[in-house]
Amino acid sequence: MKPIKVAVIGVGNCASSLVQGVEFYRNTNSSAGLIHERIGGYGAGDVEFVMGVDVDARKVGKDISEAIFAAPNCTAVFQPTVPASGAKVIMGKILDGVADHMTGMGDRGFILADAPEATRESIVAALRESGAEVLINFLPVGSETATEFYMECALEAGVGVVNCMPVFIASRPEWEAKFRAKRLPIVGDDIKAQVGATIVHRVLSSLFGARGVTVEKTYQLNTGGNTDFMNMLDRQRLGSKKESKTEAVQAMLAQRLADENIHVGPSDYVPWQKDNKLCFLRLEGTQWGNVPMNLELRLSVEDSPNSAACVMDAIRCCKVALERGEGGALIGPSAYFCKHPPQQFNDDVAAQLVDEYISETALAAE
């Protein structure tokens, strides 16, 4: 089968894990670590990265295979050899994509490239020239203007989108309508991890409800040492992120909690943690006879590889939608793979919707 041609906005840790993973699965027969081994006939190795966009001097102008290992990236290297793809990382448009405190930090932050910034026309032309079919948005949290800029580019260039960031596009009716009108698919918003803080919090919240325990208070605190956590030190950039994570949990509770009784979101930046993320969860509730109980959990994961399986499935779902001529938000895939989809479903229901969407029966029916 012809590869799925993918462009990446933001060649950071998440892009590094994804690119490494494609090469890993291309060279092995293993299905370990995948949510779905094949979608629409495509495996995890059937992706070709044809274009990267970044603003860091250590990445712009480099082949994607080289740029993914450049500072400030600090994620696990599990596939040290990634052949040159011939796809270069081009200079993007900065807008609000870089927080002020992220420059001048050496290898921990960004070094802005001394190159002319991209324009809408140049990005659209580059997407078309590359043959990209799906665009992945890996911009930092809080990059609202930059994300909207690249979404307009995607619409004009005619490519599907996987919006991995908590800037609401698929879940905003006015934006979703633009993709539907162009018959371009979008999966979003804010990608979940394979087994991360949000999915675990959702499952435990559902468990409490299913077993008759009333959740009265809950928190989720996260620490990490990658550029994502450094970026979120600017609390003004956190509005949509906190909303996305909080609503993902609230949607699973039997009764919605008052704002003062739920806290979900990033806690602090710890440089030596690098790409390791620590999550601390607590749920307080009452059970039989109104007797109190509580649960505490500590989760430790490599942050960027933890999202790659969901991104890979979302890419392949977008490709299936393109082949079917479908546009707009993909409801099932968005609900299963993202924290802030257009429609929230219980994770079991969302998984069933995805399986129905990608089933061979459904494909044959088309």
Side-chain angles (χ1 to χ4, degrees):
M1 300 180 70
K2 291 183 179 180
I4 307 170
K5 296 186 176 183
V6 172
V8 179
I9 307 297
V11 188
N13 285 310
C14 288
S16 179
S17 290
L18 186 63
V19 174
Q20 288 184 65
V22 168
E23 187 62 23
F24 174 85
Y25 286 105
R26 187 177 289 155
N27 293 325
T28 67
N29 293 320
S30 173
S31 61
L34 298 175
I35 301 172
H36 294 92
E37 185 172 2
R38 306 196 77 80
I39 294 179
Y42 296 97
D46 295 327
V47 167
E48 178 185 355
F49 295 97
V50 296
M51 176 179 159
V53 180
D54 208 284
V55 297
D56 193 285
R58 293 158 293 187
K59 297 173 183 178
V60 174
K62 303 284 182 63
D63 191 277
I64 290 178
S65 63
E66 182 181 358
I68 59 172
F69 298 118
N73 292 5
C74 60
T75 192
V77 176
F78 57 88
Q79 180 65 37
T81 302
V82 178
S85 64
K88 302 291 185 181
V89 177
I90 66 173
M91 180 65 182
K93 193 169 183 65
I94 299 173
L95 298 169
D96 57 356
V98 177
D100 291 341
H101 72 280
M102 293 291 290
T103 59
M105 298 293 292
D107 282 349
R108 289 193 290 155
F110 295 123
I111 300 174
L112 297 181
D114 185 15
E117 287 189 55
T119 63
R120 176 169 167 172
E121 292 74 20
S122 67
I123 293 294
V124 170
L127 284 169
R128 288 173 173 166
E129 184 178 351
S130 72
E133 300 167 278
V134 179
L135 177 70
I136 305 176
N137 179 25
F138 279 141
L139 284 171
V141 170
S143 304
E144 298 198 12
T145 304
T147 290
E148 292 183 355
F149 167 80
Y150 287 111
M151 294 303 101
E152 292 288 3
C153 292
L155 287 165
E156 187 172 343
V159 300
V161 167
V162 177
N163 182 30
C164 299
M165 305 313 298
V167 174
F168 304 146
I169 303 295
S171 55
R172 280 170 59 187
E174 61 271 29
W175 274 103
E176 194 275 342
K178 292 181 181 181
F179 280 87
R180 190 161 15 93
K182 292 272 191 175
R183 299 187 72 177
L184 295 171
I186 179 168
V187 176
D189 301 306
D190 196 7
I191 204 77
K192 289 177 185 172
Q194 194 168 6
V195 180
T198 298
I199 189 69
V200 170
H201 206 162
R202 282 167 62 92
V203 168
L204 290 174
S205 298
S206 295
L207 175 65
F208 273 46
R211 305 297 287 182
V213 178
T214 301
V215 177
E216 296 186 335
K217 296 178 182 177
T218 187
Y219 68 62
Q220 177 195 130
L221 306 177
N222 302 296
T223 66
N226 56 26
T227 49
D228 188 34
F229 278 89
M230 181 189 284
N231 171 65
M232 289 187 290
L233 288 175
D234 182 349
R235 301 299 179 183
Q236 293 183 359
R237 298 176 69 89
L238 280 180
S240 59
K241 183 68 173 178
K242 286 185 66 64
E243 179 182 345
S244 176
K245 290 174 71 68
T246 301
E247 287 303 314
V249 175
Q250 288 273 34
M252 294 300 103
L253 294 170
Q255 294 182 328
R256 187 178 181 89
L257 294 177
D259 290 345
E260 63 266 24
N261 292 328
I262 181 169
H263 178 87
V264 181
S267 178
D268 214 343
Y269 169 66
V270 184
W272 54 262
Q273 281 186 230
K274 296 187 177 180
D275 198 38
N276 181 258
K277 176 178 177 179
L278 290 180
C279 165
F280 302 91
L281 288 177
R282 181 178 175 90
L283 292 95
E284 298 182 5
T286 53
Q287 52 186 54
W288 174 269
N290 209 32
V291 176
M293 60 88 65
N294 66 75
L295 180 151
E296 290 191 342
L297 176 145
R298 176 186 183 274
L299 173 69
S300 174
V301 293
E302 279 291 300
D303 200 18
S304 301
N306 204 17
S307 69
C310 291
V311 178
M312 174 54 66
D313 277 18
I315 291 169
R316 293 180 289 172
C317 286
C318 269
K319 175 62 174 178
V320 168
L322 287 167
E323 291 176 342
R324 296 180 187 177
E326 297 174 354
L330 304 186
I331 299 301
S334 293
Y336 192 52
F337 301 125
C338 297
K339 302 182 186 77
H340 197 273
Q343 297 180 44
Q344 289 277 10
F345 294 96
N346 176 283
D347 292 292
D348 290 338
V349 173
Q352 182 179 348
L353 291 173
V354 170
D355 287 342
E356 291 173 355
Y357 184 77
I358 65 178
S359 68
E360 290 299 326
T361 301
L363 287 171
E366 293 292 327

